[in-house]
C-alpha cells in the first residue's frame, strides 16, 4: 500500500500555523463537547482520507464516460462506484452524486420540473421545513409562487387534509415533503396520491433522515417519490455534500439540471468520499448505528419529558426532537448559550406557533446521530438528557461546574477522533 505523502500535517503546521491551529481547535471542540445538533455527525477516518486527496485537482464536467475534459479515467471509476452504491442502498433507478449541497440539489431538482413563476407547495420554515422549500429569503420563495403547509396546532403533526385542500385549490406543479425539524414519520403514500391527483411532481427532501433510510430505520421515500434529494453529511455520515435519486424517466432532466444547469465542475474528492461513505452505509454496523440513533432519540425525549420539559408532538420517530422550553421558563437563545457553557452543543429552534422571534425561539432542537456515532447508548443518552434538564432548571455556578465535569468524563470515553492536544 502506498503512503499518502500528500497528507502533510506537519508541513501545514509549519507553513500555515494559524489555519492549522484553528483546525486543531475545531477537532478538539468536536472531541470535548457533546454534539447534539441534529444535522451534524462525525465522518470516519476513511471518509476524511478520501476528501484530502489530489482528486480535488481534477476538472470532470459531464458524467462518467461523457466528460468535457481528458484524463478522467480514474475519477470516472470513483463516480461510478458512488452512483452504483447509492442506487443499491436506496433501490433507486438513477442517482446523481454531484450536488455540492442540499440547497443546490434542491435548486437543480426543482428546475428539472418547474420554471420561475410556477407554484410549489412545501412545509413552512416556521413549522419545521427548510429555507429552500419556499421561504421568501431563499431562491425558492423568490422565484416561485411558493405556498406552504404546516402542522396542526393541537397535535403538532402534519395535517394531510390541509395539504390535500391546498393542493386542490392552488394546483402546485411541485409538492415537497421533508423538513429540518419535524420529528415524526411522513405519510409518503398520502403525499404521492395528493401529488398524483393534482398532476404535481412529488419531491422528498430526505436530507435529515437519509442515513436512517440507509440503515433500515426509516421508511424509504424512493419507493414513493418522483425524486429524492438528500445531503450526505447528516445522518448518512459522509462528507458535506448532496445527491439526487430519481426514477429513470427523470434521469436526463435531473442530470442536465445539475450540470450544466446549476453547477460546473463536480468536486471529485468529495464524490470519492461520498463513495466511501456509501460503502460504510452498506455495512451491518451502519444498520446498528441507524437503529440506535432512533432508540437514543426516543430515550432522550422520554427522559426530558420526565424532567418536566415538553417535547413537541409528544415524542419522536426519527433522530431528532423539538424541546419546548416554556415549562422551565428559558428561551431557546438562553438555553443554547447555557448548554454551550457546560460543553453541550444544540441549536435554538422555533417550535410550531412559536410566540418568540426565530432568533430567540421557545425551543431547542436536539438530535442523536453524533452521540450515537461516538458509541453512546441508552444509559449515556439518559445521562445527557438529565444533564440538559439540570442546567436548564438551575444555572448556578455550582451546578454548571458539576455538569461540565460530567460532560468531560463522558467525552473522554465517547469521542469521535483521537485526542489532538
Ligand atoms: N441547516 C440544516 C439543518 O441544520 O437542519 C439544514 O440545511
Amino acid at each position: 500500500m502506498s503512503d499518502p505523502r500528500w497528507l502533510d500535517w506537519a508541513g501545514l503546521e509549519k507553513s500555515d500555523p494559524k489555519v492549522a491551529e484553528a483546525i486543531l481547535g475545531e477537532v478538539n471542540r468536536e472531541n470535548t463537547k457533546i454534539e447534539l445538533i441534529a444535522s451534524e455527525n462525525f465522518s470516519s477516518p476513511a471518509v476524511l482520507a478520501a476528501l484530502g486527496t489530489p482528486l480535488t485537482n481534477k476538472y470532470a464536467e459531464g458524467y462518467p464516460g461523457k466528460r468535457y475534459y481528458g484524463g478522467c479515467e480514474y475519477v470516472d471509476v470513483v463516480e461510478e462506484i458512488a452512483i452504483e452504491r447509492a442506487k443499491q442502498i436506496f433501490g433507486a433507478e438513477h442517482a446523481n452524486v454531484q450536488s455540492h449541497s442540499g440547497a443546490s440539489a434542491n435548486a437543480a431538482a426543482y428546475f428539472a420540473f418547474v420554471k420561475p413563476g410556477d407554484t410549489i407547495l412545501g412545509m413552512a420554515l416556521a413549522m419545521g421545513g427548510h429555507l429552500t422549500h419556499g421561504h421568501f429569503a431563499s431562491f425558492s420563495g423568490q422565484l416561485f409562487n411558493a405556498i406552504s403547509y404546516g402542522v396542526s396546532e393541537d397535535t403538532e403533526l402534519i395535517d394531510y387534509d390541509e395539504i390535500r385542500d391546498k393542493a386542490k385549490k392552488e394546483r402546485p406543479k411541485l409538492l415537497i415533503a421533508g423538513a429540518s425539524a419535524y420529528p415524526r414519520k411522513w405519510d409518503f403514500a398520502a403525499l404521492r396520491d395528493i401529488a398524483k391527483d393534482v398532476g404535481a411532481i412529488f419531491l422528498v427532501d430526505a436530507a435529515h433522515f437519509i442515513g436512517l433510510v440507509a440503515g433500515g430505520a426509516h421508511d424509504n421515500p424512493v419507493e414513493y417519490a418522483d425524486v429524492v434529494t438528500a445531503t450526505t453529511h447528516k445522518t448518512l455520515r459522509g462528507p458535506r455534500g448532496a445527491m439526487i435519486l430519481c426514477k429513470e424517466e427523470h434521469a436526463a432532466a435531473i442530470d442536465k439540471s445539475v450540470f450544466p444547469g446549476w453547477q460546473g465542475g463536480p468536486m471529485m474528492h468529495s464524490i470519492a468520499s461520498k463513495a466511501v461513505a456509501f460503502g460504510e452505509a452498506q455495512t451491518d454496523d451502519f444498520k446498528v448505528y441507524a437503529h440506535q440513533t432512533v432508540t437514543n432519540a426516543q430515550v432522550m425525549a422520554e427522559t426530558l419529558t420526565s424532567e418536566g420539559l415538553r417535547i413537541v408532538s409528544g415524542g419522536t420517530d426519527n433522530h431528532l426532537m423539538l424541546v419546548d422550553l416554556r415549562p422551565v421558563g428559558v428561551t431557546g437563545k438562553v438555553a443554547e448559550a447555557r448548554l454551550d457553557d457546560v460543553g453541550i452543543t444544540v441549536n435554538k429552534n422555533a417550535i410550531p406557533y412559536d410566540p418568540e422571534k426565530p432568533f430567540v425561539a421557545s425551543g431547542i432542537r436536539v438530535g442523536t446521530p453524533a452521540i450515537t456515532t461516538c458509541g453512546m447508548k441508552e444509559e449515556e443518552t439518559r445521562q445527557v438528557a438529565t444533564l440538559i434538564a439540570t442546567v436548564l432548571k438551575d444555572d448556578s455556578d455550582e451546578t454548571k461546574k458539576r455538569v461540565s465535569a460530567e460532560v468531560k468524563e463522558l467525552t473522554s470515553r465517547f469521542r469521535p477522533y483521537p485526542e489532538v492536544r
Side-chain angles (χ1 to χ4, degrees), residues 261-326:
W262 281 87
Q263 293 183 183
M267 298 187 190
M268 296 316 304
H269 60 306
S270 177
I271 289 174
S273 186
K274 288 175 190 175
V276 174
F278 297 162
E280 291 179 353
Q282 290 176 306
T283 62
D284 288 342
D285 279 356
F286 196 89
K287 288 189 181 73
V288 172
Y289 145 78
H291 284 91
Q292 187 69 47
T293 296
V294 177
T295 301
N296 284 352
Q298 290 169 344
V299 166
M300 177 79 71
E302 282 158 21
T303 312
L304 291 173
T305 304
S306 70
E307 289 282 347
L309 289 142
R310 193 184 78 83
I311 304 299
V312 168
S313 85
T316 177
D317 301 320
N318 58 29
H319 61 296
L320 65 81
M321 70 216 67
L322 280 176
V323 186
D324 180 354
L325 302 164
R326 289 174 298 183

Side-chain angles (χ1 to χ4, degrees), residues 37-40 130 179-181 207-208 231 233-234 347 365:
I37 292 179
S39 48
E40 294 188 12
H130 190 254
S180 291
H208 260 268
T231 48
H233 52 272
K234 296 188 177 87
N347 63 281
R365 186 181 64 164

Side-chain angles (χ1 to χ4, degrees), residues 76-278:
D76 272 6
V77 172
V78 158
E79 187 164 347
E80 265 160 7
I81 294 172
I83 290 169
E84 281 316 307
R85 286 182 184 166
K87 283 163 66 178
Q88 270 168 22
I89 295 168
F90 302 104
E93 291 175 15
H94 180 73
N96 183 307
V97 297
Q98 293 193 357
S99 290
H100 301 328
S101 71
S104 64
N106 281 347
Y110 298 177
F111 275 89
F113 304 107
V114 292
K115 23 180 220 323
D118 283 347
T119 300
I120 64 170
L121 173 57
M123 192 177 206
L125 182 71
M127 296 280 162
H130 190 254
L131 278 167
T132 57
H133 297 177
H135 192 267
F136 63 83
S138 119
F139 76 88
S140 59
Q142 289 169 10
L143 297 181
F144 302 115
N145 172 36
I147 51 172
S148 61
Y149 60 87
V151 296
S152 126
E153 196 159 1
D154 303 338
T155 60
E156 297 173 316
L157 300 174
I158 287 171
D159 180 346
Y160 292 91
D161 291 335
E162 180 208 353
I163 300 178
R164 190 173 295 106
D165 292 346
K166 277 200 173 151
K168 282 193 168 152
K169 190 164 163 247
E170 308 279 353
R171 314 295 296 185
K173 289 216 169 134
L174 184 68
L175 174 60
I176 305 161
S180 291
Y182 185 64
R184 293 303 195 174
K185 278 189 195 311
W186 289 81
D187 189 343
F188 294 131
L191 291 167
R192 174 201 56 198
D193 293 346
I194 293 168
K196 206 166 165 203
D197 274 358
V198 300
I201 289 286
F202 178 35
L203 180 148
V204 177
D205 178 344
H208 260 268
F209 54 77
I210 193 75
L212 306 181
V213 177
H218 193 286
D219 288 344
N220 184 357
V222 170
E223 292 166 17
Y224 303 89
D226 295 294
V227 56
V228 172
T229 59
T231 48
T232 45
H233 52 272
K234 296 188 177 87
T235 47
L236 195 49
R237 219 159 57 179
R240 187 159 294 279
M243 66 179 161
I244 305 176
L245 308 167
C246 66
K247 298 194 187 306
E248 190 55 43
E249 65 183 288
H250 303 308
I254 288 290
D255 283 354
K256 214 169 114 192
S257 192
V258 172
F259 172 82
W262 281 87
Q263 293 183 183
M267 298 187 190
M268 296 316 304
H269 60 306
S270 177
I271 289 174
S273 186
K274 288 175 190 175
V276 174
F278 297 162

Side-chain angles (χ1 to χ4, degrees), residues 329-366:
V330 291
T331 63
K333 187 177 174 189
V334 167
E336 181 187 295
R338 202 184 284 179
L339 289 167
D340 193 45
D341 240 17
V342 294
I344 298 175
T345 313
V346 300
N347 63 281
K348 61 178 170 283
N349 213 104
I351 58 172
Y353 305 96
D354 201 325
E356 298 284 355
K357 291 199 172 79
F359 204 73
V360 175
S362 299
I364 50 174
R365 186 181 64 164
V366 176

